[in-house]
Amino acid sequence: MSDEANRTTTDSTVIPGLDLDAFEAWLQEHHPQLLAGPLSASLIAGGRSNLTYAIDGGVGPWVLRRPPLGHVQKTAHDMAREFRVLSALQPTAVPVPRTVLFIDDPAAGVEMPFYLMERVDGVALKLRSDNRLFTVDQLVSLSEELATTLATLHSVDPASVGLEDFGKADGFVERQLVRWGRQYEGSRNRDIPDLDALQGELAERIPTTMYTSIVHGDFRLDNALVSNDESGMPHIAAVLDWEMATLGDSFTDLGLFGLYWNLSNFADMPESVVATSVFEEDGYPSFDRVVEVYAKAAGIEVPDLSWYLAFAAFKLAVILEGIHFRFQAGQTVGDGFDRIGSLVAPLARAGRTYLSRKA
């Protein structure tokens, strides 16, 4: 989140979603020990959901996370849950930023609950051009480290970090289908036959859950920050965007990981809209190799993931349809939202293709 290229700066003390003057005054009154000077803020561009800001002027460089403007559905964009899981994972081997403060007070400059965390130095591999920062061997090493990181997360005993009540693992997949179906209905504004069909096909083939754990809910390469260690070698410095974390079927994380990994290979995906750095011809390993590394690190056998990959396609399509809905209502901040809706139907078709391979 320290990537300067990903920031949209402003000279105003009032930027979309954040009244900086009010925030600084609130800190001065309630937590003056956190201030080192006048605050400044910049909107970190690229986010399609929660709004994320770089904050300077505190005792350390911070990131502020808040829900998007408008159309916030129940259970979506839950900052308290994200803050809780990040705080709980601090003592584990899962790399996460240090949490600073959770705030639920409209007088603090944000009309909704939000939180502060440390700003971790690093870059996110979002675009193909980002691969030029690394050698092929480094891209392979980062890929395998990310797979091992997911296995590490799934190996954390929820009770050992105070998250035994963070979700209900039993019936998780069934509830997820219902939840994302409701999200879809709440954002429905046009006909998407393949997405409707995918929803029905998923319901007909629900798999038996084999492993449960803490799940990230949006695990992918560009939700990780990469930094160089003391020897100059790149490593995974932090995993970000925990708003969907809960307890559930471990393979839902692996399915979404795989969906994003293969995103550049899907038919009819508009290249000008898809943002991914993962191209095997640039040196990334296949997702099959990523799964092998995960399985070895987790000490488990991974079954056919077709259903989980298809469910991931449905989930992502619904998320993007929600963003498209907010764009249509004029409730988005930043560039590129006008093209997000074009990804939904190709994702739905990709999901149906995954299921047809399983059939």
Side-chain angles (χ1 to χ4, degrees), residues 130-254:
D130 296 328
N131 296 334
R132 294 178 297 193
L133 299 170
F134 307 99
T135 66
V136 168
D137 286 345
Q138 288 172 338
L139 290 176
V140 171
S141 177
L142 286 170
S143 302
E144 295 183 351
E145 184 184 358
L146 193 60
T148 300
T149 297
L150 183 60
T152 300
L153 170 65
H154 291 168
S155 299
V156 172
D157 175 12
S160 72
V161 293
L163 293 178
E164 63 273 14
D165 62 345
F166 196 58
K168 184 179 179 183
D170 291 343
F172 174 75
V173 171
E174 291 86 350
R175 291 195 310 277
Q176 281 283 291
L177 270 177
V178 171
R179 175 190 172 184
W180 287 101
R182 287 174 179 165
Q183 293 281 85
Y184 181 27
E185 288 303 318
S187 300
R188 187 183 288 274
N189 64 103
R190 56 180 177 160
D191 290 330
I192 313 174
D194 278 308
L195 192 55
D196 293 333
L198 176 59
Q199 183 179 12
E201 290 161 2
L202 286 166
E204 293 171 355
R205 307 181 191 181
I206 295 175
T208 300
T209 294
M210 298 174 63
Y211 301 99
T212 62
S213 64
I214 301 168
V215 293
H216 179 279
D218 197 17
F219 195 86
R220 49 195 168 99
L221 178 60
D222 61 329
N223 270 343
L225 290 179
V226 177
S227 297
N228 289 337
D229 61 21
E230 294 180 357
S231 68
M233 290 298 294
H235 68 103
I236 304 298
V239 177
L240 309 175
D241 291 0
W242 292 80
E243 66 176 279
M244 295 180 186
T246 189
L247 304 184
D249 188 321
S250 305
F251 293 150
T252 56
D253 264 352
L254 201 54

